[in-house]
Amino acid sequence: MISEIRPLNPLPPAPVPFNMAHYVLRHAAKLGDKPALEILSADGAEDTQWSYAQLERAVQGVATGLLDQGLSPGDRVLLRLGNNVDFPLGFLGAIAAGLVPIPSSSQLTEAEITKMADLVTPSLILADPGIALPTTCACPVIDTKTLHSFAELPPASFHQGEPERPAYIIFTSGTSGQPRAVEHAHRAIWARQMMWDDWYGISQNDLIMHAGAFNWTYTLGTGLMDPWSVGATALIPAAGSKPEQLAVLLKRSQASIFAAAPGIYRQMLKHNLPALPRLRHGLSAGEKLPDVTRAHWEDQTGTPVHEAFGMSECSTFVSGAPARPAPNGALGFAQSGRHLAILSEDGTPLPLGQAGILAIHKSDPGLMLGYLNAPDATQDKFRGDWFLTGDSASMSEDGAIFYEGRSDDIMNAGGFRVSPIEVEAAMVKHPGVQDAGCIEVSVKADASVIGCYYIPTADPIDESELTRHAHALLAHYKCPRLFTPVDSLPRSTNNKLSRAILRLSVEEPSKDIS
């Protein structure tokens, strides 16, 4: 038997006409005053609540305000917003108007966001004060005070059209070190139905709390868009909430589902957790959940954690679920409706049990339209009818999928995929660094960090100096945590840095990396 899962009941196509924001808020008329969103403060005194009716009204008002700026459907809007309700209002408001929002991390430096803006050429920027803006973009900037005023404007009609047209753009790290702009269609939200039973186990009665920032696609999807699509209540900790406060918020809010990256679970478990009688289960994505973290959480709370695997180009498509938990050591199963395979180098499905490249069929409705302005990079991700994830996996007889690691050098930093080339390019700008190689380094059973191995031009450099240098050029999550001076870095005969050998030298220090 071969490692290929064909859907018995493929998801039907999204209806025509279609608008992603309209679909997300389709329950608003029926649910009215039901809480759609609650932003939870540490002490409860500053909790903010939005009903479904308020949310829909504000989104359509923002759509009017954006169109009043002279924008037309298809124009792009860059979001430079913090972890507050402005983010979903700007995101959904743009999509409601037929515009294409571009979420971005508030941690990005001026240099990083300038490079990204040059790639996507936005027609407008929505920005919080104090968040870095691109220096080369001459388009108008709308501040949050003006954005708030848009919410009071007469509601715009939802812009309807083909589900295949662009809806939003998100950035991911490319293997070349250049950020890639991933363009998604309106149909992407329709495809997320496959997660409802096969990962979340969610219903309209649920209160789901997500510990991530609004601008992270994991939070936007799992924490906001999907709960609203089913009529549930989304709970988001206020900006600045600390890991030790999250369990208190879970208990106080009576959340029934909790979603976070593995690092958040690990940090929460450093503190005594209160009883959480209303919590049914947790969800984890962004990076592999260590077995020790899962076991500790289940021991402390008595609730399971269901893991999912995905990527910016297709969100999650493999997962465990309350109705079908993943076997020990497995990521889970292909979600119902997905067409997946484990491929050999020549693009054919491998026999069961053999490790190969995890691939998604090009027909998947959640798959990206492509990398913006990069047709060659888009084509390079396909082998025939298959989209290659860049991850190595194997499949058992019962269809369970086991993660075997990355097929390339991309690093995972707290759930964000980071290109080592981008980090290395920043580090060699320091006058004391002659050359650098960056890899993901395991520092304990349940945690890994980015490590920078560098050749100093003279004497080794103080770590605090290298840390300051990294933070001046890179978002916080991209910055190395470990700095190690070395005499040489392993290179191939064509002078290409071999990170695989560098990783091996770290895991087995007796190995010669020269």
Side-chain angles (χ1 to χ4, degrees):
M1 294 180 66
I2 60 172
S3 299
E4 181 177 0
I5 301 292
R6 292 177 176 269
L8 296 176
N9 298 297
L11 188 70
V16 180
F18 189 79
N19 179 281
M20 175 179 165
H22 185 235
Y23 175 82
V24 167
L25 297 173
R26 63 202 172 107
H27 296 292
K30 178 179 67 176
L31 297 179
D33 292 336
K34 178 180 177 177
L37 173 65
E38 294 185 27
I39 301 176
L40 307 174
S41 62
D43 59 5
E46 298 180 10
D47 287 359
T48 303
Q49 186 177 102
W50 286 68
S51 70
Y52 270 90
Q54 289 174 312
L55 183 64
E56 182 183 45
R57 177 69 181 76
V59 164
Q60 290 182 275
V62 167
T64 296
L66 294 175
L67 293 174
D68 285 348
Q69 306 309 303
L71 301 182
S72 301
D75 286 345
R76 300 179 192 129
V77 179
L78 179 63
L79 306 188
R80 301 295 293 140
L81 300 168
N83 195 36
N84 51 53
V85 73
D86 297 334
F87 216 101
L89 292 184
F91 183 76
L92 285 177
I95 293 174
L99 306 172
V100 181
I102 307 163
S104 62
S105 170
S106 59
Q107 298 182 40
L108 294 171
T109 65
E110 184 180 275
E112 289 172 311
I113 196 59
T114 296
K115 183 188 298 184
M116 292 176 173
D118 288 345
L119 178 61
V120 298
T121 58
S123 299
L124 182 76
I125 298 175
L126 298 179
D128 257 340
I131 295 180
L133 297 178
T135 58
T136 57
C137 183
C139 65
V141 178
I142 298 294
D143 61 20
T144 49
K145 183 177 179 180
T146 304
L147 178 63
H148 298 163
S149 71
F150 288 171
E152 304 300 324
L153 294 173
S157 299
F158 289 98
H159 181 270
Q160 303 288 347
E162 290 292 329
E164 195 70 15
R165 72 195 193 284
Y168 62 97
I169 293 171
I170 53 177
F171 280 100
T172 188
S173 287
T175 53
S176 66
Q178 299 299 316
R180 295 290 187 200
V182 181
E183 193 170 32
H184 276 287
H186 281 256
R187 59 169 161 75
I189 191 69
W190 178 261
R192 296 183 69 91
Q193 296 176 64
M194 293 182 278
M195 304 178 200
W196 295 353
D197 292 330
D198 286 354
W199 182 25
Y200 303 150
I202 193 173
S203 75
Q204 196 172 108
N205 298 322
D206 277 307
L207 288 81
I208 178 168
M209 180 172 136
H210 199 299
F214 281 122
N215 53 39
W216 191 15
T217 53
Y218 178 19
T219 313
L220 272 174
T222 300
L224 298 175
M225 304 301 149
D226 292 332
W228 294 340
S229 295
V230 301
T233 297
L235 309 172
I236 302 290
S241 297
K242 299 177 181 179
E244 60 266 28
Q245 296 169 326
L246 295 179
V248 175
L249 296 181
L250 278 171
K251 184 179 181 68
R252 195 185 80 214
S253 65
Q254 300 187 359
S256 52
I257 300 175
F258 177 56
I264 296 296
Y265 283 99
R266 179 173 56 82
Q267 292 171 42
M268 291 175 66
L269 287 166
K270 293 179 180 178
H271 310 276
N272 292 325
L273 301 181
L276 301 170
R278 296 297 183 95
L279 186 67
R280 296 205 316 276
H281 54 264
L283 306 172
S284 178
E287 58 183 317
K288 185 73 179 73
L289 179 68
D291 291 339
V292 64
T293 304
R294 182 196 302 275
H296 194 184
W297 177 267
E298 293 181 356
D299 181 63
Q300 288 283 305
T301 67
T303 62
V305 180
H306 300 294
E307 188 173 6
F309 175 84
M311 56 197 310
S312 301
E313 292 87 345
C314 196
S315 194
T316 65
F317 45 88
V318 173
S319 52
R324 194 182 188 189
N328 287 339
L331 287 172
F333 301 91
Q335 294 164 358
S336 299
R338 305 286 188 182
H339 188 177
L340 306 180
I342 311 296
L343 303 182
S344 65
E345 287 296 327
D346 65 7
T348 57
L350 286 165
L352 291 173
Q354 290 191 22
I357 304 168
L358 178 60
I360 312 162
H361 196 267
K362 67 179 184 180
S363 62
D364 193 292
L367 194 60
M368 67 173 183
L369 291 169
Y371 298 120
L372 184 69
N373 299 327
D376 291 343
T378 301
Q379 187 57 42
D380 287 346
K381 293 292 290 186
F382 285 88
R383 188 158 300 161
D385 290 340
W386 296 102
F387 174 84
L388 308 179
T389 65
D391 293 276
S392 180
S394 60
M395 187 183 298
S396 63
E397 289 188 10
D398 61 356
I401 295 173
F402 294 79
Y403 183 68
E404 306 287 350
R406 286 292 296 174
S407 302
D408 53 34
D409 293 323
I410 291 291
M411 304 177 294
N412 196 305
F416 294 92
R417 292 190 176 189
V418 178
S419 167
I421 299 173
E422 183 180 5
V423 182
E424 290 158 2
M427 296 312 302
V428 296
K429 290 181 180 178
H430 191 287
V433 176
Q434 177 182 329
D435 197 4
C438 294
I439 57 173
E440 186 177 337
V441 179
S442 176
V443 292
K444 57 176 73 172
D446 58 353
S448 61
V449 299
I450 294 175
C452 176
Y453 296 81
Y454 71 97
I455 301 174
T457 55
D459 295 329
I461 308 162
D462 188 87
E463 284 199 7
S464 61
E465 167 62 20
L466 290 174
T467 297
R468 283 193 296 271
H469 172 79
H471 278 83
L473 298 175
L474 299 166
H476 174 73
Y477 63 87
K478 298 179 185 178
C479 293
R481 297 280 296 278
L482 298 176
F483 297 95
T484 304
V486 294
D487 294 329
S488 63
L489 289 168
R491 291 190 175 273
S492 65
T493 53
N494 62 2
N495 203 38
K496 183 178 180 181
L497 177 65
S498 176
R499 298 183 191 85
I501 295 178
L502 180 58
R503 280 193 296 272
L504 183 63
S505 73
V506 173
E507 295 166 0
E508 301 181 38
S510 61
K511 295 285 185 180
D512 182 5
I513 67 171
S514 58

